[in-house]
Amino acid sequence: MSPNAFAGAQLTIDLDAISANWRALGARLKNGARAAAVVKANAYGLGISAVAPALYDAGCRAFFVASLDEGIALRSILPDGQIYVFFGPTPKDAAEYSRHRLIPVLNDLGQIETWRARSRGDGGEKAVLQVDTGMSRLGLPPDEVARLAVEPERVAGLDIVYVMSHLACAENSGHAMNGQQLEEFSKALKSLETGSAFAAASLANSSGIFLGPGYHFDLVRPGAALYGINPTPDKPNPMTEVVRLQGKIQQVRSVDSSRSVGYGAAHVVTRPSRIATVPVGYADGYLRSASNQASAHVRGVRVPIIGRVSMDMITLDVTDLPAEFVHPGATVDLIGGPYSIDAFAADAGTIGYEILTSLGLRFRRRYIENGEVREAAE
């Protein structure tokens, strides 16, 4: 029996769509550039053990994760391919990178020294060097870039396969910071090349790909767009939908006007109404902020979420639907299909990234692969 076989909601994840999205992004790149895949946070919550092999089969050979633990887990899934770890090594865990053939992203002079000590100057340890061009997060700040430029011996013996940075505002194509970061990144590359011959560069994330070939360099690192989130929010979504969350009505109740619904009496009906309860709540990643804001669809007809989202349940106003549409066991579209993940996220006051990575484990999960539907094994 598959996990959660009796769950009141079902999450369908289209691996074919993820692969198609990766290919579509790669097709947009300038000649010579290639696309990696960011699969951190359990492939944005969709299951790295299913997503990574599908991407590998599609031709992807470069994968990025956030932490060492994620990298080790991914290596057990993918014996081949390059696996890059954003957080980089510490003196305590540097040996694990070598043991599992992981490539660290070096984010400051201290990590560079840690990894150089690990390499023992034999040139056998690959790494990515990250420079900060405006995120003020990870990466060498400008003063450390300048120091490295005049002290190239700091990376002597290391195989720096990419110099990378990360865009802060790429989803807003008109934002001035995009051009500023591109200029700062280009200057950093030029200054570093005076002392060392770095092989290649990487700047663009999902949205950065759509800023044009000047942002592509040698490797792009799409994440959210692979999973169907719109990388161009001011335009129609160029990506294929990946997830669809559907629930089953648990109960339908008729209530009189002036009767409240849910915790805190946050909604009071103003007419005789029918209320459908669906067993999905914030314990499943259906955010509480969607209360009285989001909607669902029954047979393509929009119905509002009323009252507060609780831990295990939401309530829908189905008054205007025919009785034969709404009964225990009837299917309700919650995310995907007629209601995109970006639309739901906007109604919940957040972004699609948070929705994807929050979707819980209590759903019955199914994968579509090679045109066939299979139940999740875990």
Side-chain angles (χ1 to χ4, degrees):
M1 183 178 296
S2 63
N4 303 325
F6 303 109
Q10 174 175 277
L11 180 66
T12 302
I13 299 162
D14 192 336
L15 298 175
D16 293 340
I18 294 174
S19 298
N21 285 338
W22 181 79
R23 293 191 187 97
L25 291 168
R28 301 186 66 92
L29 301 181
K30 70 176 186 180
N31 288 338
R34 65 190 184 108
V38 179
V39 293
K40 62 182 180 177
N42 195 27
Y44 285 54
L46 301 186
I48 194 170
S49 61
V51 170
L55 285 165
Y56 189 90
D57 289 346
C60 184
R61 293 297 181 267
F63 299 83
F64 283 81
V65 296
S67 68
L68 176 57
D69 286 334
E70 290 181 344
I72 293 171
L74 181 55
R75 178 57 76 203
S76 70
I77 298 166
L78 294 181
D80 300 317
Q82 302 88 44
I83 300 175
Y84 302 90
V85 182
F86 283 129
F87 290 165
T90 69
K92 291 183 178 180
D93 62 28
E96 296 299 320
Y97 284 82
S98 301
R99 183 174 293 116
H100 297 282
R101 295 177 290 116
L102 306 176
I103 303 172
V105 176
L106 306 179
N107 295 292
D108 55 45
L109 293 179
Q111 287 191 336
I112 291 173
E113 182 57 33
T114 294
W115 197 237
R116 186 167 178 243
R118 177 69 192 165
S119 76
R120 298 182 296 277
D122 62 8
E125 300 288 0
K126 298 181 183 296
V128 174
L129 183 67
Q130 179 162 206
V131 299
D132 177 23
T133 57
M135 285 284 280
S136 300
R137 213 172 54 170
L138 294 180
L140 277 72
D143 63 314
E144 291 193 358
V145 173
R147 188 172 176 182
L148 185 59
V150 298
E151 299 175 359
E153 64 274 11
R154 288 180 174 271
V155 292
L158 294 182
D159 182 5
I160 304 296
V161 292
Y162 292 102
V163 178
M164 65 167 278
S165 191
H166 193 63
L167 295 166
C169 304
E171 71 280 359
N172 182 349
S173 60
H175 201 290
M177 195 168 178
N178 295 324
Q180 293 167 4
Q181 286 192 266
L182 177 61
E183 181 179 3
E184 187 165 341
F185 185 55
S186 298
K187 287 180 178 178
L189 291 175
K190 187 175 182 180
S191 70
L192 293 173
E193 285 172 357
T194 62
S196 302
F198 295 120
S202 176
L203 177 62
N205 53 9
S206 290
S207 296
I209 293 170
F210 292 82
L211 295 177
Y215 290 80
H216 294 169
F217 290 91
D218 302 286
L219 184 75
V220 299
R221 309 183 309 274
L226 296 175
Y227 310 110
I229 292 174
N230 189 354
T232 57
D234 56 338
K235 299 176 182 177
N237 192 351
M239 312 316 299
T240 301
E241 179 180 87
V242 170
V243 299
R244 190 163 190 174
L245 177 62
Q246 297 171 299
K248 294 180 180 179
I249 293 175
Q250 188 85 8
Q251 184 184 70
V252 180
R253 172 166 296 183
S254 297
V255 298
D256 294 329
S257 58
S258 77
R259 190 84 168 178
S260 66
V261 179
Y263 283 116
H267 178 86
V268 178
V269 299
T270 58
R271 58 173 178 164
S273 302
R274 284 181 298 133
I275 309 301
T277 299
V278 178
V280 171
Y282 57 74
D284 305 294
Y286 194 95
L287 302 186
R288 191 171 184 268
S289 58
S291 302
N292 284 317
Q293 300 295 325
S295 58
H297 288 75
V298 178
R299 296 197 185 186
V301 179
R302 178 187 175 277
V303 292
I305 305 294
I306 58 171
R308 289 183 182 167
V309 175
S310 61
M311 183 179 292
D312 310 300
M313 288 173 278
I314 55 174
T315 43
L316 317 176
D317 185 344
V318 296
T319 308
D320 297 326
L321 293 182
E324 62 267 25
F325 284 17
V326 285
H327 55 79
T331 299
V332 177
D333 280 304
L334 300 173
I335 298 176
Y339 192 38
S340 74
I341 190 168
D342 293 300
F344 172 74
D347 287 342
T350 185
I351 57 176
Y353 299 66
E354 184 179 17
I355 302 303
L356 277 183
T357 56
S358 297
L359 292 175
L361 299 177
R362 295 197 298 181
F363 302 133
R364 179 184 179 186
R365 288 193 172 209
R366 305 189 312 164
Y367 289 102
I368 299 174
E369 187 170 21
N370 298 322
E372 298 182 356
V373 178
R374 64 174 173 85
E375 299 289 336
E378 55 184 36

